[in-house]
PDB file of all heavy atoms in Angstrom:
ATOM      1  N   LEU A 418      26.358  11.306 -18.577  1.00 98.00           N
ATOM      2  CA  LEU A 418      26.978  11.267 -17.251  1.00 98.00           C
ATOM      3  C   LEU A 418      27.940  10.091 -17.131  1.00 98.00           C
ATOM      4  O   LEU A 418      28.903  10.136 -16.354  1.00 98.00           O
ATOM      5  CB  LEU A 418      25.911  11.136 -16.158  1.00 98.00           C
ATOM      6  CG  LEU A 418      24.951  12.310 -15.941  1.00 98.00           C
ATOM      7  CD1 LEU A 418      23.941  11.948 -14.851  1.00 98.00           C
ATOM      8  CD2 LEU A 418      25.698  13.580 -15.568  1.00 98.00           C
ATOM      9  N   LEU A 419      27.677   9.048 -17.898  1.00 98.00           N
ATOM     10  CA  LEU A 419      28.453   7.811 -17.796  1.00 98.00           C
ATOM     11  C   LEU A 419      29.760   7.872 -18.571  1.00 98.00           C
ATOM     12  O   LEU A 419      29.865   8.518 -19.616  1.00 98.00           O
ATOM     13  CB  LEU A 419      27.627   6.642 -18.321  1.00 98.00           C
ATOM     14  CG  LEU A 419      26.434   6.197 -17.477  1.00 98.00           C
ATOM     15  CD1 LEU A 419      25.545   5.249 -18.274  1.00 98.00           C
ATOM     16  CD2 LEU A 419      26.898   5.531 -16.185  1.00 98.00           C
ATOM     17  N   LYS A 420      30.728   7.149 -18.059  1.00 97.00           N
ATOM     18  CA  LYS A 420      31.933   6.887 -18.828  1.00 97.00           C
ATOM     19  C   LYS A 420      31.582   5.897 -19.941  1.00 97.00           C
ATOM     20  O   LYS A 420      30.590   5.166 -19.840  1.00 97.00           O
ATOM     21  CB  LYS A 420      33.007   6.269 -17.925  1.00 97.00           C
ATOM     22  CG  LYS A 420      33.450   7.136 -16.764  1.00 97.00           C
ATOM     23  CD  LYS A 420      34.426   6.370 -15.876  1.00 97.00           C
ATOM     24  CE  LYS A 420      34.831   7.181 -14.655  1.00 97.00           C
ATOM     25  NZ  LYS A 420      35.749   6.411 -13.761  1.00 97.00           N
ATOM     26  N   PRO A 421      32.366   5.842 -21.023  1.00 96.00           N
ATOM     27  CA  PRO A 421      32.131   4.810 -22.032  1.00 96.00           C
ATOM     28  C   PRO A 421      32.134   3.420 -21.386  1.00 96.00           C
ATOM     29  O   PRO A 421      33.008   3.085 -20.601  1.00 96.00           O
ATOM     30  CB  PRO A 421      33.324   4.981 -22.978  1.00 96.00           C
ATOM     31  CG  PRO A 421      33.689   6.431 -22.852  1.00 96.00           C
ATOM     32  CD  PRO A 421      33.461   6.758 -21.399  1.00 96.00           C
ATOM     33  N   GLY A 422      31.103   2.645 -21.682  1.00 97.00           N
ATOM     34  CA  GLY A 422      30.962   1.325 -21.081  1.00 97.00           C
ATOM     35  C   GLY A 422      30.262   1.334 -19.738  1.00 97.00           C
ATOM     36  O   GLY A 422      30.022   0.266 -19.150  1.00 97.00           O
ATOM     37  N   GLY A 423      29.918   2.517 -19.244  1.00 98.00           N
ATOM     38  CA  GLY A 423      29.232   2.621 -17.957  1.00 98.00           C
ATOM     39  C   GLY A 423      27.801   2.126 -18.034  1.00 98.00           C
ATOM     40  O   GLY A 423      27.206   2.028 -19.117  1.00 98.00           O
ATOM     41  N   ARG A 424      27.229   1.838 -16.876  1.00 98.00           N
ATOM     42  CA  ARG A 424      25.888   1.246 -16.823  1.00 98.00           C
ATOM     43  C   ARG A 424      24.893   2.123 -16.071  1.00 98.00           C
ATOM     44  O   ARG A 424      25.267   2.865 -15.169  1.00 98.00           O
ATOM     45  CB  ARG A 424      25.961  -0.137 -16.177  1.00 98.00           C
ATOM     46  CG  ARG A 424      26.736  -1.162 -17.003  1.00 98.00           C
ATOM     47  CD  ARG A 424      26.914  -2.459 -16.240  1.00 98.00           C
ATOM     48  NE  ARG A 424      27.544  -3.504 -17.050  1.00 98.00           N
ATOM     49  CZ  ARG A 424      28.849  -3.666 -17.147  1.00 98.00           C
ATOM     50  NH1 ARG A 424      29.685  -2.859 -16.492  1.00 98.00           N
ATOM     51  NH2 ARG A 424      29.342  -4.643 -17.891  1.00 98.00           N
ATOM     52  N   PHE A 425      23.630   1.967 -16.457  1.00 98.00           N
ATOM     53  CA  PHE A 425      22.520   2.725 -15.892  1.00 98.00           C
ATOM     54  C   PHE A 425      21.429   1.742 -15.470  1.00 98.00           C
ATOM     55  O   PHE A 425      20.888   1.003 -16.294  1.00 98.00           O
ATOM     56  CB  PHE A 425      21.993   3.695 -16.952  1.00 98.00           C
ATOM     57  CG  PHE A 425      20.774   4.491 -16.557  1.00 98.00           C
ATOM     58  CD1 PHE A 425      20.555   4.902 -15.244  1.00 98.00           C
ATOM     59  CD2 PHE A 425      19.843   4.865 -17.523  1.00 98.00           C
ATOM     60  CE1 PHE A 425      19.433   5.650 -14.900  1.00 98.00           C
ATOM     61  CE2 PHE A 425      18.722   5.609 -17.194  1.00 98.00           C
ATOM     62  CZ  PHE A 425      18.516   6.005 -15.879  1.00 98.00           C
ATOM     63  N   PHE A 426      21.117   1.723 -14.174  1.00 98.00           N
ATOM     64  CA  PHE A 426      20.026   0.889 -13.667  1.00 98.00           C
ATOM     65  C   PHE A 426      18.839   1.772 -13.337  1.00 98.00           C
ATOM     66  O   PHE A 426      18.965   2.771 -12.625  1.00 98.00           O
ATOM     67  CB  PHE A 426      20.469   0.128 -12.416  1.00 98.00           C
ATOM     68  CG  PHE A 426      19.325  -0.439 -11.609  1.00 98.00           C
ATOM     69  CD1 PHE A 426      18.349  -1.214 -12.209  1.00 98.00           C
ATOM     70  CD2 PHE A 426      19.236  -0.196 -10.244  1.00 98.00           C
ATOM     71  CE1 PHE A 426      17.286  -1.728 -11.474  1.00 98.00           C
ATOM     72  CE2 PHE A 426      18.189  -0.702  -9.497  1.00 98.00           C
ATOM     73  CZ  PHE A 426      17.210  -1.469 -10.113  1.00 98.00           C
ATOM     74  N   VAL A 427      17.671   1.401 -13.843  1.00 98.00           N
ATOM     75  CA  VAL A 427      16.472   2.200 -13.634  1.00 98.00           C
ATOM     76  C   VAL A 427      15.271   1.279 -13.477  1.00 98.00           C
ATOM     77  O   VAL A 427      15.236   0.171 -14.016  1.00 98.00           O
ATOM     78  CB  VAL A 427      16.265   3.183 -14.811  1.00 98.00           C
ATOM     79  CG1 VAL A 427      16.031   2.433 -16.108  1.00 98.00           C
ATOM     80  CG2 VAL A 427      15.128   4.158 -14.538  1.00 98.00           C
ATOM     81  N   SER A 428      14.297   1.727 -12.707  1.00 98.00           N
ATOM     82  CA  SER A 428      13.035   1.000 -12.573  1.00 98.00           C
ATOM     83  C   SER A 428      11.881   1.931 -12.914  1.00 98.00           C
ATOM     84  O   SER A 428      11.931   3.129 -12.639  1.00 98.00           O
ATOM     85  CB  SER A 428      12.864   0.459 -11.144  1.00 98.00           C
ATOM     86  OG  SER A 428      12.686   1.517 -10.211  1.00 98.00           O
ATOM     87  N   VAL A 429      10.850   1.372 -13.520  1.00 98.00           N
ATOM     88  CA  VAL A 429       9.641   2.127 -13.853  1.00 98.00           C
ATOM     89  C   VAL A 429       8.428   1.304 -13.456  1.00 98.00           C
ATOM     90  O   VAL A 429       8.502   0.082 -13.325  1.00 98.00           O
ATOM     91  CB  VAL A 429       9.572   2.462 -15.365  1.00 98.00           C
ATOM     92  CG1 VAL A 429      10.785   3.275 -15.797  1.00 98.00           C
ATOM     93  CG2 VAL A 429       9.446   1.193 -16.202  1.00 98.00           C
ATOM     94  N   ALA A 430       7.312   1.964 -13.264  1.00 97.00           N
ATOM     95  CA  ALA A 430       6.064   1.255 -12.999  1.00 97.00           C
ATOM     96  C   ALA A 430       5.599   0.572 -14.279  1.00 97.00           C
ATOM     97  O   ALA A 430       5.516   1.202 -15.332  1.00 97.00           O
ATOM     98  CB  ALA A 430       5.000   2.237 -12.498  1.00 97.00           C
TER      99      ALA A 430
END
Side-chain angles (χ1 to χ4, degrees):
L418 293 178
L419 290 167
K420 299 175 183 178
R424 294 173 175 88
F425 176 33
F426 164 52
V427 63
S428 68
V429 301

